Amino acid sequence: MQAVLDYPKITVISPHGCLNAKNALEFETKLTKALAQNGISILLVNLEHVESLDSAGLMALVSALKLAQKLGRRFSLCSVSPSLKIIFELTQVDRVFEIFEGKAAFEAVYLSNQEATVTYA
Protein backbone atom coordinates (compact mmCIF):
# COMPACT_ATOMS: atom_id res chain seq x y z
CA MET A 1 0.00 0.00 0.00
CA GLN A 2 1.31 3.42 -0.95
CA ALA A 3 0.56 6.64 0.92
CA VAL A 4 0.31 9.85 -1.06
CA LEU A 5 0.93 13.08 0.82
CA ASP A 6 -0.27 16.33 -0.66
CA TYR A 7 1.78 19.20 0.72
CA PRO A 8 0.52 22.69 0.03
CA LYS A 9 2.43 25.02 -2.24
CA ILE A 10 2.32 28.46 -0.68
CA THR A 11 3.18 31.73 -2.40
CA VAL A 12 3.76 34.84 -0.28
CA ILE A 13 3.41 38.35 -1.70
CA SER A 14 4.58 41.27 0.44
CA PRO A 15 3.61 44.64 -1.04
CA HIS A 16 5.21 47.85 0.27
CA GLY A 17 4.04 51.43 0.63
CA CYS A 18 0.61 52.43 -0.58
CA LEU A 19 -1.90 50.26 -2.41
CA ASN A 20 -3.91 52.81 -4.31
CA ALA A 21 -5.33 53.75 -7.71
CA LYS A 22 -1.82 54.44 -8.99
CA ASN A 23 -0.57 50.86 -8.53
CA ALA A 24 -3.68 48.73 -7.87
CA LEU A 25 -3.82 47.27 -11.37
CA GLU A 26 -0.17 46.21 -11.22
CA PHE A 27 -0.78 44.70 -7.75
CA GLU A 28 -3.88 42.84 -8.94
CA THR A 29 -1.93 41.48 -11.94
CA LYS A 30 0.77 40.18 -9.59
CA LEU A 31 -1.88 38.48 -7.43
CA THR A 32 -3.57 36.97 -10.50
CA LYS A 33 -0.28 35.59 -11.85
CA ALA A 34 0.54 34.06 -8.47
CA LEU A 35 -2.88 32.40 -8.25
CA ALA A 36 -2.58 31.05 -11.80
CA GLN A 37 0.65 29.15 -11.05
CA ASN A 38 0.35 25.40 -11.39
CA GLY A 39 0.25 23.59 -8.09
CA ILE A 40 -0.27 26.62 -5.88
CA SER A 41 -2.79 25.94 -3.15
CA ILE A 42 -2.41 28.98 -0.88
CA LEU A 43 -1.63 32.63 -1.57
CA LEU A 44 -0.66 34.69 1.47
CA VAL A 45 -0.53 38.47 1.19
CA ASN A 46 1.65 39.91 3.93
CA LEU A 47 0.49 43.49 4.53
CA GLU A 48 3.16 44.25 7.12
CA HIS A 49 4.79 46.99 5.01
CA VAL A 50 1.63 48.53 3.55
CA GLU A 51 1.15 52.06 4.83
CA SER A 52 -2.22 52.87 3.26
CA LEU A 53 -4.97 51.33 1.20
CA ASP A 54 -7.64 53.02 -0.88
CA SER A 55 -10.71 51.60 -2.61
CA ALA A 56 -8.73 50.55 -5.69
CA GLY A 57 -6.23 48.63 -3.54
CA LEU A 58 -9.07 47.02 -1.62
CA MET A 59 -10.79 46.01 -4.86
CA ALA A 60 -7.55 44.37 -6.06
CA LEU A 61 -7.61 42.20 -2.94
CA VAL A 62 -11.31 41.39 -3.36
CA SER A 63 -10.82 40.49 -7.03
CA ALA A 64 -7.94 38.18 -6.13
CA LEU A 65 -10.06 36.56 -3.41
CA LYS A 66 -12.84 35.88 -5.93
CA LEU A 67 -10.35 34.38 -8.38
CA ALA A 68 -8.85 32.20 -5.64
CA GLN A 69 -12.30 30.91 -4.72
CA LYS A 70 -13.07 30.19 -8.38
CA LEU A 71 -9.79 28.27 -8.75
CA GLY A 72 -10.26 26.39 -5.47
CA ARG A 73 -7.28 28.03 -3.79
CA ARG A 74 -6.93 29.58 -0.36
CA PHE A 75 -6.30 33.32 -0.14
CA SER A 76 -5.13 34.73 3.19
CA LEU A 77 -3.89 38.02 4.58
CA CYS A 78 -1.54 38.61 7.48
CA SER A 79 0.00 41.47 9.44
CA VAL A 80 -2.85 43.91 8.85
CA SER A 81 -2.02 47.17 10.63
CA PRO A 82 -4.62 48.86 12.84
CA SER A 83 -5.21 51.60 10.24
CA LEU A 84 -5.86 49.02 7.51
CA LYS A 85 -7.94 46.90 9.87
CA ILE A 86 -10.32 49.85 10.33
CA ILE A 87 -10.84 50.01 6.54
CA PHE A 88 -11.50 46.27 6.44
CA GLU A 89 -14.01 46.55 9.30
CA LEU A 90 -15.82 49.61 7.89
CA THR A 91 -16.24 47.91 4.52
CA GLN A 92 -17.02 44.60 6.25
CA VAL A 93 -14.50 42.69 4.12
CA ASP A 94 -12.90 41.48 7.34
CA ARG A 95 -15.75 38.95 7.31
CA VAL A 96 -14.75 37.44 3.96
CA PHE A 97 -10.96 37.40 4.18
CA GLU A 98 -9.00 34.85 6.17
CA ILE A 99 -6.81 37.20 8.23
CA PHE A 100 -3.92 36.17 10.47
CA GLU A 101 -2.26 38.41 13.06
CA GLY A 102 1.15 37.74 11.53
CA LYS A 103 3.23 35.26 9.59
CA ALA A 104 3.80 33.18 12.72
CA ALA A 105 0.06 32.68 13.18
CA PHE A 106 -0.28 31.67 9.53
CA GLU A 107 2.65 29.26 9.81
CA ALA A 108 1.18 27.74 12.98
CA VAL A 109 -1.91 26.78 11.00
CA TYR A 110 -0.44 25.79 7.64
CA LEU A 111 3.11 24.67 8.30
CA SER A 112 2.80 22.76 11.56
CA ASN A 113 2.94 18.98 11.24
CA GLN A 114 3.46 19.10 7.49
CA GLU A 115 5.98 20.12 4.92
CA ALA A 116 5.09 22.87 2.52
CA THR A 117 6.74 24.57 -0.40
CA VAL A 118 6.87 28.32 0.15
CA THR A 119 7.61 30.74 -2.69
CA TYR A 120 8.16 34.44 -2.13
CA ALA A 121 7.01 36.55 -5.05
Side-chain angles (χ1 to χ4, degrees):
M1 186 166 154
Q2 183 178 16
V4 177
L5 301 175
D6 185 24
Y7 297 120
K9 182 177 178 191
I10 302 166
T11 297
V12 180
I13 293 180
S14 300
H16 289 73
C18 302
L19 294 178
N20 54 31
K22 185 176 179 181
N23 60 14
L25 184 57
E26 178 184 342
F27 177 58
E28 184 176 348
T29 300
K30 189 172 188 175
L31 296 173
T32 300
K33 285 181 181 178
L35 286 167
Q37 293 175 0
N38 285 336
I40 185 174
S41 53
I42 303 169
L43 177 61
L44 174 66
V45 180
N46 180 357
L47 297 173
E48 179 178 17
H49 301 291
V50 174
E51 299 165 10
S52 65
L53 177 76
D54 72 1
S55 60
L58 186 60
M59 285 310 301
L61 290 170
V62 171
S63 294
L65 174 64
K66 288 181 180 181
L67 177 60
Q69 290 170 337
K70 181 180 175 183
L71 297 173
R73 295 165 173 35
R74 293 195 85 111
F75 184 87
S76 303
L77 306 175
C78 75
S79 304
V80 179
S81 69
S83 59
L84 296 183
K85 191 174 276 189
I86 290 170
I87 294 168
F88 281 56
E89 290 170 355
L90 287 173
T91 57
Q92 298 183 353
V93 295
D94 61 319
R95 298 178 184 183
V96 296
F97 283 109
E98 181 176 43
I99 302 174
F100 293 92
E101 286 297 316
K103 283 175 61 176
F106 172 82
E107 290 169 356
V109 171
Y110 288 108
L111 300 182
S112 63
N113 300 324
Q114 60 181 333
E115 294 180 25
T117 304
V118 181
T119 304
Y120 295 91

